[in-house]
Amino acid sequence: QVQVVESGGGSVEAGGSLRLSCTVSGYIYSNYCMGWFRQPPGGVRELVARVVIRSGDTFYADSAKGRFTVSQDNAKGTLDLQMSNLKPEDSAVYYCATKRTFGGSCTAYVDFGLWGQGTQVTVSS
């Protein structure tokens, strides 16, 4: 059974940085794309960034552009999210997800079939 596990959340002051890591079990190239989502309290789950594994093509939400960087390590089977210049509005539970069906969209919540348990990120002002 394929598992998706996140790590690296925590608390930081505004302007600080955090690095989240996602590990997917098995062969990473069995995944079409992987992404990071976040869900604030009472809010909806939204895409932060995603990578199409074989091509390396990346997509960032407007809120993440210029501050967040997503990177994949194919040998380790990991997808990291480096977050800098964090703001209180970045506080949320961050989820890693993978789509194992090849082709099609990789931007909507419903596109991704496997999810991690989530990791909390709290940014204080």
Side-chain angles (χ1 to χ4, degrees), residues 40-82:
V44 298
R45 194 170 298 189
E46 61 178 6
L47 179 67
V48 176
R50 69 96 175 107
V51 174
V52 178
I53 297 300
R54 296 194 180 190
S55 69
D57 178 67
T58 57
F59 172 88
Y60 293 91
D62 287 344
S63 59
K65 289 178 181 176
R67 300 188 300 126
F68 295 2
T69 302
V70 65
S71 59
Q72 63 187 94
D73 186 323
N74 297 334
K76 295 181 180 179
T78 59
L79 183 74
D80 288 358
L81 183 68
Q82 177 66 46

Side-chain angles (χ1 to χ4, degrees), residues 4 7-8 13 19-20 29-30 38 62 69 80 87-88 95 98 101:
V4 179
S7 62
E13 293 185 351
R19 188 177 185 90
L20 307 183
Y29 289 106
S30 295
R38 69 185 183 187
D62 287 344
T69 302
D80 288 358
K87 305 174 182 179
Y95 297 89
T98 178
T101 302

Side-chain angles (χ1 to χ4, degrees), residues 11 14-15 22 27 32 41 49 53 67 69 75 79 90 99 106 118-119 124:
S11 298
C22 173
Y27 189 48
Y32 176 59
I53 297 300
R67 300 188 300 126
T69 302
L79 183 74
D90 293 318
K99 175 179 179 178
C106 281
T119 185
S124 59

Side-chain angles (χ1 to χ4, degrees), residues 4-12 16-23 36 78-84 86 90 92-96 117-123:
V4 179
V5 180
E6 306 99 338
S7 62
S11 298
V12 66
S17 299
L18 280 175
R19 188 177 185 90
L20 307 183
S21 186
C22 173
T23 301
W36 283 98
T78 59
L79 183 74
D80 288 358
L81 183 68
Q82 177 66 46
M83 304 185 292
S84 302
L86 283 162
D90 293 318
V93 177
Y94 283 69
Y95 297 89
C96 180
Q117 80 286 354
T119 185
Q120 177 71 47
V121 170
T122 303
V123 185

Side-chain angles (χ1 to χ4, degrees), residues 3 8 22 24-25 31 51 54 58 62 64 73 84 89 97 100 109 112 115 118:
Q3 290 186 315
C22 173
V24 60
S25 60
N31 303 278
V51 174
R54 296 194 180 190
T58 57
D62 287 344
D73 186 323
S84 302
E89 52 264 42
R100 295 173 67 80
Y109 170 85
F112 293 78
W115 294 81

